[in-house]
C-alpha cells in the first residue's frame, strides 16, 4: 500500500521570507525580491525552486503568525499563490494565518500581544473530519521552536531568515538541505516521528 503524501507545513516570516518597513535601515543587505506597499520583501534563497520541486512529492502548506491580510499578500507576491501560471507559483494546499493559531500563554505578556501565538497541529489533523492528514505523515518547518512546543516530534528547525545579517548570508543552503533530508529520510518513512524530534537543518551540532 502506498504511503499517504507527506504534509510539510512551513512558517512564513523568518522561515521562507523576511520583510522590513522602509523606515528600517537595511544597509549591507541585498536588494529586496519585491516591494509590498511600505515594506521590502526578501524570499529566502532557493525557496521557490525547492518548494516547487517538493510539491511534486509532498503536500505543502503555510501557517503564518501574521494576519490573514498580510499573509495572503505576502504569499501572492512571493509565490504567486493566486496565479498558477506565475513562474514562482507554489501550490500550497492551505494557507493559514494568525486566525488559526492559539495564544501563547507562556510568552504573552498582555492580552494585547496577539502576535504571540502557538500552532496546534491537531487542527490540521482535524481537517475533513480527520481523513486528510495524520500525525505519522506531518512535519512543520519553523525557525522558532516556541511556536510548536507541544509538537516537538514533528518539528524541523531551520536557521532564522531575519535581519540584515541573515539576508546577507550568501551561503544560506537551509532549504536545499531540508529538501535532501525530506527526500532521503522522510518520504519513505511510515511514521516521520521516528526520525525526529528537533532536527536542525543548516546548523552545526
Amino acid at each position: 500500500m502506498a504511503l499517504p503524501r507527506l504534509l510539510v507545513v512551513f512558517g512564513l516570516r523568518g522561515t521562507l521570507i523576511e520583510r522590513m518597513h522602509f523606515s528600517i535601515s537595511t544597509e549591507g543587505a541585498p536588494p529586496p525580491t519585491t516591494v509590498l506597499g511600505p515594506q521590502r520583501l526578501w524570499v529566502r534563497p532557493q525557496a521557490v525552486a525547492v518548494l516547487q520541486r517538493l510539491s511534486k512529492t509532498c503536500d505543502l502548506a503555510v501557517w503564518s503568525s501574521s494576519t490573514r491580510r498580510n499573509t495572503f499578500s505576502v504569499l501572492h507576491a512571493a509565490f504567486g499563490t493566486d496565479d498558477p501560471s506565475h513562474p514562482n507559483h507554489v501550490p500550497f494546499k492551505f494557507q493559514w494565518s494568525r486566525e488559526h493559531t492559539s495564544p501563547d500563554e507562556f510568552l504573552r505578556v498582555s492580552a494585547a500581544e496577539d502576535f504571540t501565538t502557538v500552532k496546534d497541529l491537531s487542527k490540521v489533523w482535524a481537517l475533513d473530519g480527520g481523513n486528510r492528514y495524520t500525525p505519522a505523515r506531518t512535519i512543520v518547518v519553523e525557525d522558532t521552536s516556541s511556536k510548536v512546543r507541544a509538537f516537538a516530534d514533528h518539528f524541523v528547525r531551520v536557521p532564522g531568515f531575519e535581519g540584515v545579517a541573515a539576508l546577507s548570508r550568501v551561503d544560506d543552503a537551509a532549504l536545499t538541505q531540508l529538501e535532501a533530508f525530506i527526500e532521503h529520510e522522510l518520504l519513505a518513512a511510515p511514521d516521520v516521528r521516528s526520525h525526529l524530534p528537533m532536527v536542525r537543518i543548516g546548523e552545526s551540532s
Side-chain angles (χ1 to χ4, degrees), residues 175-198:
L175 295 184
T176 54
Q177 292 174 23
L178 170 71
E179 180 183 21
F181 174 70
I182 289 173
E183 290 182 348
H184 297 153
E185 302 292 340
L186 301 184
L187 280 183
D191 192 331
V192 296
R193 292 170 292 188
S194 63
H195 296 267
L196 305 171
M198 292 287 291

Side-chain angles (χ1 to χ4, degrees), residues 22-23 25 90 114 129 186 195:
F22 273 101
S23 62
S25 172
V90 177
D114 58 354
L186 301 184
H195 296 267

Side-chain angles (χ1 to χ4, degrees), residues 153-170:
D153 51 354
H154 299 274
F155 176 42
V156 178
R157 181 175 179 174
V158 292
F161 185 65
E162 189 172 7
V164 171
L167 297 176
S168 304
R169 194 165 54 228
V170 297

Side-chain angles (χ1 to χ4, degrees), residues 42-110:
W42 290 262
V43 178
R44 192 169 201 147
Q46 301 300 315
V48 172
V50 167
L51 293 176
Q52 288 178 339
R53 288 194 297 266
L54 283 176
S55 70
K56 300 180 187 306
T57 55
C58 305
D59 281 3
L60 307 183
V62 163
W63 196 347
S64 171
S65 296
S66 185
T67 63
R68 177 183 174 89
R69 178 180 177 181
N70 286 341
T71 297
F72 278 52
S73 62
V74 166
L75 287 174
H76 176 69
F79 303 112
T81 49
D82 296 335
D83 182 4
S85 66
H86 194 287
N88 291 350
H89 177 68
V90 177
F92 294 112
K93 295 299 183 180
F94 60 86
Q95 304 159 41
W96 282 3
S97 53
R98 183 181 301 165
E99 290 78 5
H100 288 88
T101 62
S102 303
D104 187 338
E105 303 299 351
F106 286 96
L107 295 181
R108 182 175 292 194
V109 175
S110 70

Side-chain angles (χ1 to χ4, degrees), residues 110-128:
S110 70
E113 291 187 356
D114 58 354
F115 55 84
T116 309
T117 60
V118 293
K119 299 171 182 179
D120 182 354
L121 289 177
S122 65
K123 296 179 180 180
V124 173
W125 301 324
L127 288 170
D128 296 340

